């Protein structure tokens, strides 16, 4: 229930309409517009906030005490020195490259940063950072100015920075604020905001060219209506066009078997009637020549159980089947078997799942052989026209045929019937299963992806498919199902590419479809309900190419209303593919020379921040995988982290994930001889994403997550966690080597703060007792690196639906064993 006294309604800022929950925060913010400085020092200096005046007095009029600390130095005071520094100390022996030029496609006004900093103040007002003392946001204490020692006890009365990471009441709703990922600001500058003695909202903007911190001028302040205006928080009770809402379909609505098997249009049935079951059995027996002789169709109740497993598990992560209009008696047998196969996995009946998988695979192979759009029988009986005399060639030139006989011509591109669509949908399910299944099946995924890619192209993924306003519900469902099917295939291709370091099957430029419609329309169960939603929210069509280009150009994409959750997911998939291709064209091997150019990194950082703002507008951003809003928000957070990591570190070629061998994968994770990244401000953001990822299970409870993640967490989350563990461990080991060689002062201020966050994160976990503060500095950081692997390995201890997740957990555990043995 709400805590504290009720808050009154606070008017928005009169200059930019920014909304605050407290009057004092509104007044403080408005002074950033007016440049009023009511707090004066006796020396003549004036400040906009009282805490800035206090800091000035402390630094300027008591400097002698700070410059000559006593031997019994206070930890809070030394941390204050570390976090007050505006200019980071370059590290020794590492390439601390900064952006040498500003990306022309990401030319955001400094006024946007003014808004971001103001937004961060609004987070502060919600209780994320208020009350923090100077020992926060960094390594807990220093023994002297040359090295540090970790204090074994948190300071009393402090608010840990993890309270900030775990504040789900913030406007970000599960995401870290986009302010943290603008590398024109150092993390030191951002963290100081809202803290006692923190920097003024408008004082610190880091120059990408020089690393200096020029003062924000009054002329830089964004005027109302300018580009990158603040994104106001969408209230839950207010419906906006295209706003994502909860699906109306509830799997628990079936009261009895008769009601569940009703044939009323729009009803959803996971309990099959005898009629539906007999129809399915007949269609499967019609493919008796294709299926293995030993295959037996599951019983009606078993098939119902597997179908329920599909829709409760797999479907909510990739929603391309329309539950309200789905009729199993009308589905192709390969699609029914594919649904049952993955549903069996989600019921932990893997042996039966594999049996159904092979049956569906065999039917598809037979179907593609006998129902190919091109006739192949004439190839062995006739002479091709290109090998005949010109007279014979002229006889067939009018028809355009490629042989003397007239083979069956290919249908127009994009023209597919329901049977072909069902085959594509079955291949999508089988591709996901084979990609994440046991090692003997993984190689099958490459063959399936090739087949699926051919069919997706023939189905018209490169043909614009805008749905005209006024389309009837049945037609709309048919076209939306086709659109979602092709786009989900595109998502899986890119996910497979990022996971196994293989080229994507479908390139971004081939996708000409429009983005999927909103979830409220997709969840409508009747034509009347759907029409009411259309009348209320209107009809919008947004082409993937146009929106994706806006992302890369640094333009807002949600101006005309937020996109659907799946639409934003498609856009993130496109960004991951671009990052993958940029990374693989930057060099043959991952070393300093293969790092992405600063202008490229800035372009993608800008695109990722704009994408995050768009996603937040969908009202489905949640770090809870079991949230009533669905798991797409949770999965998107995982993909966003993966994008930041791959943008700054070349981890893909060295994970060996396709082998499913924990020892080979662990060997790659612990091989410190391979240079994977360059330490800089951009990498700090990727590390921050890793820390944020680890804070989620630590906050929820690692043992709890280990026992419950099987049905709630996605494969995407497991893949992202592997990269997070890989990067965070390697980053800590690199810092340990730097500290052992050149001392703690060689670390930049941002790096020290991030290390401090890892310290406090470990203290909140079950491994807190293993953090040995008697170690020397470098050894302590190295131990933390091993503990990072151990924490993530503990998360994967429970049962899993797919083999790849178990392989990731076993690899992390093996890697932790190897590193702990070296300490």
């Amino acid at each position: 229930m709400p805590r504290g006294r009720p808050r009154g309604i606070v008017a928005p800022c009169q200059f930019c309409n920014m909304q605050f929950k407290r009057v004092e925060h509104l007044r403080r913010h408005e002074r950033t517009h007016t440049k009023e400085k009511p707090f004066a020092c006796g020396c003549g200096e004036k400040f906009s906030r009282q805490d800035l005046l206090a800091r000035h007095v402390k630094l300027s009029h008591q400097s002698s005490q700070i410059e000559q600390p006593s031997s019994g130095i206070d930890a809070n005071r030394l941390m204050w020195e570390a976090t007050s520094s505006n200019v980071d100390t370059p590290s020794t022996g590492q390439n601390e490259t900064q952006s040498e030029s500003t990306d022309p496609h990401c030319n955001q006004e400094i006024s946007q940063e003014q808004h971001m900093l103001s937004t961060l103040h609004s987070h502060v007002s919600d209780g994320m950072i208020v009350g923090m003392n100077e020992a926060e946001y960094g390594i807990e204490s220093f023994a002297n100015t040359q090295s540090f020692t970790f204090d074994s006890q948190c300071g009393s009365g402090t608010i840990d920075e993890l309270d900030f990471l775990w504040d789900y009441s913030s406007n970000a709703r599960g995401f870290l604020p986009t302010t943290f990922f603008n590398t024109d600001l150092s993390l030191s500058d951002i963290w100081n905001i809202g803290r006692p003695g923190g920097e003024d909202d408008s004082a610190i903007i880091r120059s990408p060219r020089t690393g200096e911190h020029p003062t924000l001028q009054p002329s830089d302040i964004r005027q109302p209506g300018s580009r990158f205006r603040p994104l106001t928080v969408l209230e839950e009770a207010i419906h906006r066009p295209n706003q994502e809402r909860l699906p109306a379909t509830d799997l628990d609505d079936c009261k009895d078997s008769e009601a569940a098997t009703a044939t009323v249009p729009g009803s959803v049935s996971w309990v099959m009637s005898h009629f539906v079951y007999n129809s399915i059995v007949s269609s499967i027996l019609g493919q008796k020549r294709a299926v293995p002789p030993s295959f037996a169709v599951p019983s009606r109740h078993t098939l119902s159980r597997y179908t329920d497993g599909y829709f409760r598990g797999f479907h909510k992560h990739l929603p391309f089947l329309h539950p309200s209009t789905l009729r199993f008696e009308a589905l192709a047998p390969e699609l029914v078997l594919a649904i049952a196969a993955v549903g069996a996995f989600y019921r932990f009946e893997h042996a039966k799942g594999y049996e159904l998988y092979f049956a569906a695979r065999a039917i598809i192979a037979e179907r593609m052989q006998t129902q190919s759009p091109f006739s192949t029988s004439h190839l062995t009986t006739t002479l091709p026209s290109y090998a005949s005399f010109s007279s014979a060639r002229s006889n067939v030139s009018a028809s355009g045929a490629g042989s003397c006989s007239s083979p069956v011509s290919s249908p127009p591109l994009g023209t597919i019937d329901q049977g072909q669509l069902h085959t594509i949908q079955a291949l999508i399910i089988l591709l996901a299963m084979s990609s994440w299944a046991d090692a003997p099946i993984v190689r099958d995924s490459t063959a399936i992806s090739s087949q699926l890619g051919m069919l997706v192209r023939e189905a018209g993924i490169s043909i614009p498919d805008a749905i005209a306003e006024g389309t009837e519900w049945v037609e709309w469902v048919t076209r939306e199902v086709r659109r979602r099917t092709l786009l989900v295939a595109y998502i899986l291709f890119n996910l497979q590419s990022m996971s196994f370091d293989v080229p994507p099957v479908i390139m971004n430029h081939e996708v000409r479809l429009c983005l999927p419609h909103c979830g409220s329309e997709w969840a409508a169960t009747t034509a009347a309900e759907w029409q009411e939603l259309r009348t209320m929210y209107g009809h919008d069509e947004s082409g993937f190419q146009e929106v994706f280009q806006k992302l890369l150009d640094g333009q807002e994409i949600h101006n005309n209303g937020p996109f659907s959750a799946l639409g934003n997911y498609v856009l993130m998939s496109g960004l991951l593919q671009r990052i993958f291709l940029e990374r693989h064209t930057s060099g043959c091997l991952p070393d300093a020379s293969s790092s992405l150019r600063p202008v490229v990194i800035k372009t993608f950082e800008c695109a990722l921040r704009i994408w995050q703002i768009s996603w937040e507008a969908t009202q489905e951003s949640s770090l809870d995988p079991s949230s009533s809003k669905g798991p797409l928000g949770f999965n998107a957070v995982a993909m966003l982290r993966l994008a930041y990591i791959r943008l700054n570190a070349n981890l893909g070629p060295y994970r060996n994930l396709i082998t499913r061998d924990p020892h080979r994968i662990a060997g790659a994770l612990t091989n410190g001889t391979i240079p994977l990244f360059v330490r800089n401000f951009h990498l700090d953001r990727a590390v921050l994403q890793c820390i944020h990822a680890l804070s989620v299970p630590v906050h929820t409870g690692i043992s709890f997550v280990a026992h419950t993640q099987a049905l709630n967490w996605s494969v995407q989350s497991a893949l992202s966690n592997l990269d997070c563990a890989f990067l965070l461990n390697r980053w800590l080991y690199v810092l340990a080597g730097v500290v052992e060689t050149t001392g703690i002062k060689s670390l930049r201020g941002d790096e020290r703060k991030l290390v401090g966050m890892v310290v406090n994160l470990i203290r909140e976990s079950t491994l807190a007792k293993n953090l040995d503060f008697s170690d020397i500095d470098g050894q302590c950081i190295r131990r933390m690196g091993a503990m990072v692997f151990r924490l993530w390995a503990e998360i994967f201890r429970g049962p899993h639906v797919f083999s790849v997740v178990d392989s990731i957990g076993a690899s992390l555990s093996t890697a932790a064993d190897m590193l702990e043995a070296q300490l």
Side-chain angles (χ1 to χ4, degrees), residues 283-338:
S283 65
I284 294 175
L285 292 179
Q287 302 291 329
K288 186 177 181 180
R289 186 178 64 175
V291 298
S294 60
F295 175 75
V297 181
S299 69
R300 181 170 66 93
H301 295 298
T302 300
L303 202 57
S304 298
R305 180 171 72 251
Y306 293 163
T307 302
D308 188 65
Y310 172 88
F311 282 99
R312 289 183 182 273
F314 186 87
H315 170 77
K316 60 186 180 180
H317 295 285
L318 295 172
F320 60 90
L321 296 179
H322 194 247
S324 298
T325 59
L326 196 65
R327 293 294 176 266
F328 273 82
E329 64 271 22
L331 299 183
E334 63 267 28
L335 179 55
V336 174
L337 293 175

Side-chain angles (χ1 to χ4, degrees), residues 31 58 82 87 159 246 279 297 300 323 388 442 452 456 467 470 513 565 643 654 717 760 766 815:
R31 285 198 293 268
K58 181 175 181 179
V87 181
I159 296 181
L246 299 183
S279 299
V297 181
R300 181 170 66 93
S388 62
V442 175
L452 181 58
V456 164
I467 302 175
L513 304 176
Y654 294 98
S717 177
N760 288 327
T766 56

Side-chain angles (χ1 to χ4, degrees), residues 33 36 180 185 220 408 454 483 503 508 613 633 715 732 760 769 802:
H33 293 290
E36 177 187 3
F180 283 97
L185 288 166
D220 294 323
V408 178
M454 177 191 67
R483 176 185 296 178
N508 285 342
I613 294 173
V715 172
L732 287 169
N760 288 327
K769 61 181 181 297
F802 293 107

Side-chain angles (χ1 to χ4, degrees), residues 5 48 50 312 320 327 367 453-454 463 494 636 664 692 694 720 740 774:
R5 65 179 185 275
S48 60
Q50 190 170 13
R312 289 183 182 273
F320 60 90
R327 293 294 176 266
R367 189 179 299 279
M454 177 191 67
I463 299 176
N494 287 330
R664 289 186 61 181
H692 189 216
L694 186 57
S720 174
E740 290 171 347
S774 63

Side-chain angles (χ1 to χ4, degrees), residues 51 55 80 129 131-134 192 194-198:
D51 60 322
R55 180 194 179 203
W80 166 247
I129 310 179
M132 199 174 297
N133 70 14
E134 292 130 2
N192 284 338
R195 301 180 57 240

Side-chain angles (χ1 to χ4, degrees), residues 158-181:
T158 65
I159 296 181
D160 199 281
E161 63 263 21
L162 298 182
D163 291 337
F164 167 55
L165 288 176
W166 296 344
D167 188 78
Y168 294 106
S169 64
S170 68
N171 293 343
R173 296 190 301 280
F175 287 104
L176 288 171
T178 54
T179 316
F180 283 97
F181 302 100

Side-chain angles (χ1 to χ4, degrees), residues 121 559 697 749:
H121 274 298
N559 293 339

Side-chain angles (χ1 to χ4, degrees), residues 579-614:
I579 293 172
F580 175 87
L581 296 176
E582 287 284 352
R583 175 64 66 184
H584 280 263
T585 56
S586 63
C588 297
L589 296 174
D591 52 28
S593 62
S594 67
S595 298
L596 299 183
R597 293 175 293 118
V599 65
V600 173
I601 295 178
K602 292 291 290 183
T603 299
F604 281 114
E605 286 178 342
C606 178
L608 291 173
R609 292 200 303 272
I610 294 173
W611 178 91
Q612 179 178 330
I613 294 173
S614 172

